[in-house]
Amino acid sequence: RTYRKMADLDRIDLEKRIYDSILNTKKMFLANYPLRDLSHSESRQARLAIKIGDEYAHVKMMPPPKRQPPRKKAKVANSAGAEDTEKTEVKVEDADDVEMDKMIESAASRPGSKRSAGALVEYKGPPAHKAGAVGGGMIKKYTAHQQLILKARSKRMKKPEWHAPWKLMRVISGHLGWVRSIAVDPTNEWFATGSADRTIKIWDVASGTLKLTLTGHINTVMGLAVSHKYPYLFSVGNDKLVKCWDLEQNKVVRNYHGHLSGVFCCAVHPTQDLLITGGRDSVARVWDIRTKAEAMVLGGHTHCVSSLGVQGAKPQVITGSHDNTVRLWDLTKGATHATLTNHKKSVRGLLIHPKEYTFCTGAADNLKVWKCPDGVFMRNISGHDAIVNSIAINKDNVLVSGADNGTLKFWDWKSGWCFQDTKITPQPGSLDSENGVYAMAFDMTGSRLFTCEADKSIKVWKEDEKATPETHPLNWKPSRSQRRF
């Protein structure tokens, strides 16, 4: 009985609270009661403005269509040859259609005109740097309608250029461990390779014979770079050492101390006396070649810096890391200019195009092409299903990528079409799994490709000179699903 009495009291209290809430709501909105029967023209106009702005925003710069006067009378002729009957057809336009036409005309008005009554925000036209941009270029001679057509065409998949297939030319053996790095001499007379056997070997480009062996590292040699100005070869390794070799004396002349862990990559600045290295301590360090001084530390990555590229124009330094990001650096400020977070896997490969103002990054998810100087994403190159360790490109727009599972893919740079997919066979005496590609480079002419592999060999590839578009046709079909962006 006591429980029922408490339940009744709770129910009465709840009903009283609901009633008090209704009264408070009525008092709050009592002043708006006389407005409840007014038409909702303003809200409807705002809704139409928002809808038109969403659907027709990309054609605001187009001239409005010419209005055709409505036809009030129409004659209907009898096809059987009987009497002609005249029927009068009166066209009555709906008020909604008239208002919609007015809204469209106001949305398609030119910049500089007065603000329309239904527009929520005044349209002032596109920015100056985007006024005629289609696909990244400034186009001023096309009208707005032509620009829309060009933009739609640019999204279609381009037909790839025909390239001759590449074939294995030579296998060079000599290292006793995995070959992890390579650098080609600017004179195209020799190339150097670094290995897990802690040695650097110099090979002749033409014959593939061994010319010299340099010893001095106490761990795997992970990166090599050749200077364009001095007879210097730079090497980095897992032993935290950065060494400068004088190739006239064949000995180490400088050591650069500062890295706290293994060093994975290095590159020489093309115009300044600077050496850039990146490693497991998550930073890229800039060194003065002559004084051995550490000029600056480019910090910002949260994991190993595994790849980097250097160029004379901005951005002068580009780094890829195992934290799945790519950073563009401003050397004058010593700070990050842009951070690219599109990759979902570690960025192990990076290259700068020799002719275009673009660069490419390689990871296990995709190869991505970016536009300098701000790192604007351009397109994906998809097809690998393994970890991509290295990528290279020549002046004929042949892009090559090598992966951990021994696949070597040749791509057409413009279209992203894979025109050759090669499965590398390890040399006799190696395990079947030792077919990974760790590094690669073209020679200065772009006619030879050197790949450094896990079977302790260096393979030399060249184009098939007898191949023609008739003997090796381009088996390409455009895909509706694939787009440039």
Side-chain angles (χ1 to χ4, degrees):
R1 186 179 299 175
T2 304
Y3 175 76
R4 289 181 180 178
K5 186 180 294 185
M6 292 179 63
D8 293 341
L9 291 175
D10 292 341
R11 181 177 56 80
I12 294 172
D13 185 57
L14 179 61
E15 292 177 354
K16 184 176 183 302
R17 289 176 180 272
I18 294 173
Y19 182 72
D20 292 342
S21 177
I22 294 173
L23 289 179
N24 293 334
T25 304
K26 183 177 180 181
K27 292 177 182 179
M28 184 181 300
F29 296 101
L30 184 63
N32 295 331
Y33 273 20
L35 303 177
R36 65 186 185 277
D37 295 333
L38 295 180
S39 62
H40 299 279
S41 59
E42 294 182 1
S43 61
R44 186 173 180 275
Q45 196 173 17
R47 181 177 62 83
L48 287 176
I50 294 172
K51 185 176 180 180
I52 292 171
D54 183 45
E55 294 183 358
Y56 301 97
H58 60 287
V59 293
K60 280 187 176 180
M61 298 297 297
M62 293 181 60
K66 295 182 179 180
R67 297 287 301 275
Q68 297 290 339
R71 297 174 60 186
K72 293 186 179 180
K73 294 183 179 181
K75 292 183 179 180
V76 180
N78 190 356
S79 60
E83 297 182 359
D84 294 339
T85 59
E86 183 176 331
K87 295 184 179 180
T88 304
E89 188 180 84
V90 180
K91 183 177 181 181
V92 180
E93 295 186 357
D94 191 4
D96 294 343
D97 297 336
V98 175
E99 188 172 356
M100 179 65 74
D101 292 341
K102 291 181 180 180
M103 296 292 293
I104 294 175
E105 289 178 0
S106 64
S109 60
R110 293 284 186 179
S113 60
K114 295 183 179 179
R115 180 176 175 177
S116 60
L120 297 180
V121 180
E122 183 179 1
Y123 179 70
K124 299 181 180 179
H129 64 284
K130 295 183 180 179
V134 176
M138 296 301 294
I139 301 177
K140 298 182 180 179
K141 60 182 179 180
Y142 298 114
T143 63
H145 183 64
Q146 291 171 334
Q147 290 181 17
L148 292 173
I149 296 175
L150 291 174
K151 187 174 182 180
R153 287 179 179 175
S154 67
K155 294 183 179 180
R156 299 175 186 171
M157 188 176 181
K158 294 184 178 181
K159 184 177 180 180
E161 180 184 355
W162 182 85
H163 297 282
W166 291 67
K167 61 181 181 179
L168 183 62
M169 171 185 173
R170 182 183 293 122
V171 179
I172 302 174
S173 301
H175 279 293
L176 303 178
W178 293 353
V179 188
R180 300 302 301 262
S181 56
I182 186 172
V184 181
D185 174 41
T187 62
N188 209 37
E189 296 180 358
W190 52 268
F191 67 95
T193 56
S195 170
D197 61 5
R198 302 168 294 176
T199 63
I200 301 170
K201 292 184 180 293
I202 310 294
W203 311 86
D204 186 70
V205 170
S207 62
T209 57
L210 179 64
K211 301 178 70 173
L212 183 66
T213 300
L214 301 175
T215 59
H217 281 279
I218 58 176
N219 209 328
T220 306
V221 181
M222 298 294 292
L224 293 171
V226 183
S227 174
H228 291 72
K229 296 173 62 177
Y230 308 107
Y232 291 160
L233 171 68
F234 299 93
S235 62
V236 298
N238 280 336
D239 49 9
K240 312 178 190 177
L241 299 179
V242 180
K243 293 180 177 292
C244 174
W245 304 81
D246 189 342
L247 297 179
E248 293 179 346
Q249 306 176 32
N250 297 334
K251 66 177 184 180
V252 178
V253 293
R254 293 184 183 90
N255 286 295
Y256 303 89
H257 300 283
H259 275 285
L260 306 177
S261 189
V263 191
F264 291 162
C265 52
C266 64
V268 179
H269 199 282
T271 59
Q272 302 178 20
D273 294 335
L274 296 175
L275 172 68
I276 297 92
T277 58
R280 194 178 290 143
D281 52 3
S282 306
V283 297
R285 299 181 186 270
V286 182
W287 310 88
D288 189 333
I289 293 176
R290 297 163 298 181
T291 64
K292 302 185 293 183
E294 186 181 274
M296 63 182 68
V297 178
L298 305 177
H301 285 291
T302 58
H303 213 296
C304 310
V305 177
S306 55
S307 58
L308 61 87
V310 181
Q311 62 180 354
K314 291 184 179 180
Q316 298 185 46
V317 179
I318 306 170
T319 57
S321 172
H322 286 196
D323 61 4
N324 310 343
T325 64
V326 180
R327 285 182 179 262
L328 283 59
W329 300 91
D330 186 352
L331 277 186
T332 57
K333 299 179 181 178
T336 303
H337 174 68
T339 303
L340 313 178
T341 59
N342 298 46
H343 278 290
K344 298 179 179 62
K345 300 293 182 180
S346 302
V347 182
R348 298 171 182 263
L350 193 149
L351 64 84
I352 297 176
H353 197 280
K355 291 183 177 180
E356 296 180 2
Y357 197 29
T358 56
F359 66 96
C360 179
T361 55
D365 53 355
N366 274 312
L367 304 181
K368 295 182 183 291
V369 181
W370 315 83
K371 184 179 178 182
C372 296
D374 299 323
V376 178
F377 173 72
M378 297 181 66
R379 61 184 178 271
N380 276 327
I381 300 177
S382 303
H384 267 294
D385 55 355
I387 298 174
V388 178
N389 287 320
S390 60
I391 53 179
I393 192 171
N394 63 4
K395 295 181 180 179
D396 296 330
N397 284 331
V398 175
L399 175 67
V400 189
S401 57
D404 259 356
N405 61 352
T407 56
L408 196 65
K409 289 182 179 288
F410 295 82
W411 314 82
D412 176 54
W413 170 262
K414 295 289 186 181
S415 62
W417 170 255
C418 180
F419 64 89
Q420 183 179 352
D421 187 356
T422 303
K423 183 72 172 179
I424 296 176
T425 304
Q427 64 176 345
S430 302
L431 299 175
D432 292 338
S433 59
E434 289 184 328
N435 57 356
V437 181
Y438 290 126
M440 65 176 62
F442 282 96
D443 68 347
M444 292 298 134
T445 63
S447 61
R448 298 290 184 270
L449 173 68
F450 307 101
T451 58
C452 305
E453 302 179 10
D455 60 355
K456 309 171 188 177
S457 69
I458 302 112
K459 292 184 173 63
V460 185
W461 306 77
K462 70 173 183 178
E463 287 184 330
D464 189 356
E465 300 173 353
K466 298 180 181 179
T468 61
E470 288 75 22
T471 59
H472 295 78
L474 185 65
N475 298 321
W476 173 80
K477 292 182 180 180
S479 174
R480 294 184 178 182
S481 61
Q482 187 169 0
R483 291 291 183 263
R484 182 178 176 86
F485 296 98

